[in-house]
Each structure stands twice: as structure tokens, then as C-alpha cells.
Amino acid sequence: MKTKSIVAARFVWRRSLLPLLRRLPAGWGGRLQTLAHHTKMTLLHGHVIDFEGHSRLERLEKGESVDRRPLMAQASSRPRSTSLLPGHVVAELEALEHIEAELAPTQAFLGRFHRYTPPMNLEPARVHAQCSAMIAELQPDLIILIPWLVRGGADLGALLHAQAAVSAGHKVLLIATLDAESPWRSRVPPGAGFLEFGRLSRKLSEQHRLDVLTRLLLDSPASVIHIINSHLGWEVTKRHGKSLTGLGKRIYASVFSDGRDENGVMWSYPRFFFVDCWRFLSGVMCDSAWYPDDLVRQYGVSRTKLHTAYFPLSFAPSSEYRAVATGCVLWASRITLSKRPDLLIAIAKAMPTRRFEVFGYTGDPAEGHYEAELRTLPNVSLRGRYESIDAIVAGGHYAAFLYTSAWDGLPNVLLEAIGAGLPVLASAICGVPEIITPETGYPVVDVENADAYVTMLNKLLDDPAGAQRRWRAACDLMLARHDPGAFLSGLREVPGYLD
């Protein structure tokens, strides 16, 4: 019954009395509403206004001498507050409750306050601060974006670009964008820096990684950004290329060849990014003359932005012909689909009396079956990882170097094999014919046919004098075209790269 009465009183108040009070002259309506409020608090909630205490509070605020004990009597009777609010705020609420009871600092009321925590992830800021400190210390004018530094042709190319830029007087920073080890970081040339952004940002989402890297590039003093096989670097260019170039930064990219995935579908950075990124690129560099022409054919892009920069030799070539006609056939590369270990297996099976030594490793467990099958062949020896072809050849007896890749730029491993003193037999794909011709080696045109490799390999083994002549011609071509000075001169001819 009491509840129904309260509801009825509220209805009459809101629908009849309150609209009437609002029509009264200014001031009178507000006074009557205040009177009605205190009447409600007195009749319904048993609250009595402490006029005496309120008067003391007013006099205290005016600086008059007042006995404070009556004011604090109620507060002292309450248990000590565990609120996060400061003590002076609680005391103020205790004083105000004589005017508005809902401000009484009860435990329930004070428990509603909590410490505010910003709803944000501070990890991106931490990564940015850590990386920007290194960039500020080095003050690079050229940044090279790479996925990592492992043994590979693109990784070697990144190191060669860094070395050339350092020798030209530039400050260089290599930034690895994948969360992976970089065993070749020890080969970063003196004078260049190496930042493992991928490992430092491993806790970040892909979007945060992109945002932080973009901010680092925008804030850096580098006027040149060079992308070499870094997917994150391409994404930054795709989404924020306009901002980078708007600040006067010049973006370059190195591309080497098209590949295919496990379904046979073509895969390449130009295929995925040229449409969105071409207008932001100041230049594109290739390690062969074949690929720029193929890019023009595929995408109709301007040839003026495409440049060939043959990688220089990263080793001292041997002047000695080391091939032994009765020796093993050497195969060295990653044991993966693109290098066609299936062809190697077929060739070894077709030549059971010739030994094959295989150096390399399988990076993907799904391709482990290649190694398993190679181990079953009695004339094949698996030797695992290797540091250099020269060290392998110096420690053994080999008749030739066999290369069965399905796609490539101009593989540095062929230069290494020639420099180590061996004749080379290789599939005539992509940029390979620019170093392995019928005059300088043994190219295989029918690259899908294992018998074609066997025929050419027997031709090499049956003519030791001819193999040596072709090796000598390959050495002459390599020394003339892959000179470090020629590489640096070629980079200087790329507009804006080493300005």
C-alpha cells in the first residue's frame, strides 16, 4: 500500500504540480521545488536538516572561529574508509551530506570509485621507443627492409647493397621484418646497422607492426627506402606510400623472378604489389637483364624505372680448375620445390654408377619427403648445411656442379661454383642463360626432362678438356661483369639511389 501511495504521489507531482511550478515567476518555482524536495526527504526518508551544522560550515568557510567537533562527530563514528578518494574529498562529502543525503560517503558509495586504466595497448609504443632510439643513434640516410638474413641470394644482395652504399659514404640500416633468426647478421658490413624489428615486435598484431614500422620510416632521417623481399615493407608502401613520398622519401625495390606455389599458381611481389605501389616507386632493381624485360611484357610498366644491377662477387675466385673427371657431381641449394630435388632424384637414379653429393636443407617439414627419398639412393650422400661452395670444393673431389632450379634470377651459387673451379650444368631458366651458355657451361633447355640433364651431364664428363675450356670462358665473363666497381657504378646510375 505504501509503495502504491508513493507511485501515486510521484505521478501527481510530475503530471500536475511540477508543470504548475514551472509557470510561476522566476525564483519562486525553484524555491517551492526545493521545499518540496526537503519535505519528501523528511516525510519519506526520515531525514532532518542540520541547520546548526550547516551554519557552522558556512562560518568556517568565512574564516570565523568555529567549534569543529559537532561537524566531525558523525564522521568519527564511521569506520575508516578504504576508498581510493583522498581524505579531504571524503571529509567534504561528509559535510555535504547534510545538504544532499545521496552524497553521504558510505562504504557502498565510496566503493563505486576505482582506479582508471587507459583502454589501450602500450606495447606498440614500447617497440617504437626501442627502435627509434637506435635509428636516432645511427641517423641512416638509407634503410633496407628485408625479411631476415639467412643464407640466400636475396640476403646476399641486401648485404652487397649495404656494402656498396657504405663505400659510397652513406649511413645504412638494415631492418629485418620477420620474427626469425638471422644467422648472417654477423656479415652486416662495418658502418651499417642491423635492427631486428620482427623479433622486437613479435607480440604485436600485424596491423600494429605495420603502423609502428610506418611511423619509424616517416620519422627517420632516411631519404631512401629499399625493399628486398620484405612483405611488410611492400604493405607499408601500398598503404602509406603517398605519405612517405610526400615527405620527399624515395622508395626502391629489388625483384628477381616469378615463382609458383604448391598449386602451380604464379607467385611474385610484382604480381601482388605493382598495381598499388608502382606510382610510389622511384626505381626497381633486378639482378639480371632478363627480368626487367619480362616485367614490361607482363605488366606494361615503364622501362625507365627498371634497372639491372649484376651482383658483384662476394668471394675471391680461384684461378685453378679443380674439377676431377672421376669425381662426384655436386648439388648445393635449399632442398625445396623450386630447386627441383625431384629432378635430382631422377638424374641420380638414371646414373647409378656416378656418385652425387648433396648439400642443403629442407626448411619446410612438408617437403621432408625429398630428403627421405634421397637417403634411400645408394649413390647419393646428404651433407646438410654449408657455408660456401669454395670450402666444399676445396675439401673434396668433384667433376661438376649441377643446378636444377625451376625459377630464379641470376643465382649467386652459379658464380660461386665457377669461382670454386668447377664447370656448371644448369637449367636454362630466367637469368641463368646470362652466365651459363653453350660457350661458358652446359645449359639444359628441356628443363622438365631428367633425361636431358643426364645426356648433358654425360657430355660434360666425357670431355674433360671441353669442360675446362667452357669453365675458363665462364670465369672471364664473371670477372668482367660481376666486378664490385661495376656494381657500384651501376647503382650510381639509378636516379636518386645514391645521391
Side-chain angles (χ1 to χ4, degrees), residues 135 138-145 158-175 191-193 217 220-228 249-252 285 491 496-499:
I135 293 175
L138 182 60
Q139 289 291 299
D141 45 34
L142 169 61
I143 290 179
I144 301 176
L145 300 176
L159 294 172
L160 293 172
H161 276 279
Q163 179 62 60
V166 169
S167 65
H170 291 271
K171 295 179 181 178
V172 182
L173 175 64
L174 293 105
I175 299 181
L217 296 176
S220 76
S223 58
V224 173
I225 298 168
H226 188 173
I227 306 168
I228 303 180
K249 298 182 186 296
R250 300 181 297 278
I251 306 174
Y252 298 84
M285 287 172 266
L491 293 183
Y497 186 69
L498 292 181
D499 289 354

Side-chain angles (χ1 to χ4, degrees), residues 333-372:
S333 189
R334 286 180 295 113
I335 303 177
T336 185
L337 173 66
S338 65
K339 303 303 179 181
R340 297 301 303 271
D342 56 315
L343 278 176
L344 170 63
I345 292 169
I347 295 166
K349 287 181 177 179
M351 303 177 70
T353 60
R354 176 67 61 169
R355 289 206 58 80
F356 292 78
E357 287 200 359
V358 177
F359 287 80
Y361 64 97
T362 300
D364 185 351
E367 296 183 315
H369 60 94
Y370 291 127
E371 285 193 26

Side-chain angles (χ1 to χ4, degrees), residues 84 113-120:
L84 294 173
F113 295 90
H114 61 276
R115 197 176 303 279
Y116 178 71
T117 302
M120 63 179 66

Side-chain angles (χ1 to χ4, degrees), residues 60 82 143 203 324 333 365 367:
L60 180 64
T82 58
I143 290 179
K203 295 181 181 179
V324 179
S333 189
E367 296 183 315

Side-chain angles (χ1 to χ4, degrees), residues 54-66:
H54 184 59
S55 176
R56 284 196 186 93
L57 182 62
E58 288 182 338
R59 288 157 55 194
L60 180 64
E61 291 175 345
K62 294 178 181 179
E64 300 177 10
S65 178
V66 176

Side-chain angles (χ1 to χ4, degrees), residues 219-241:
D219 293 341
S220 76
S223 58
V224 173
I225 298 168
H226 188 173
I227 306 168
I228 303 180
N229 281 8
S230 169
H231 190 275
L232 187 61
W234 279 106
E235 285 290 348
V236 167
T237 303
K238 176 181 176 179
R239 302 190 194 185
H240 303 288

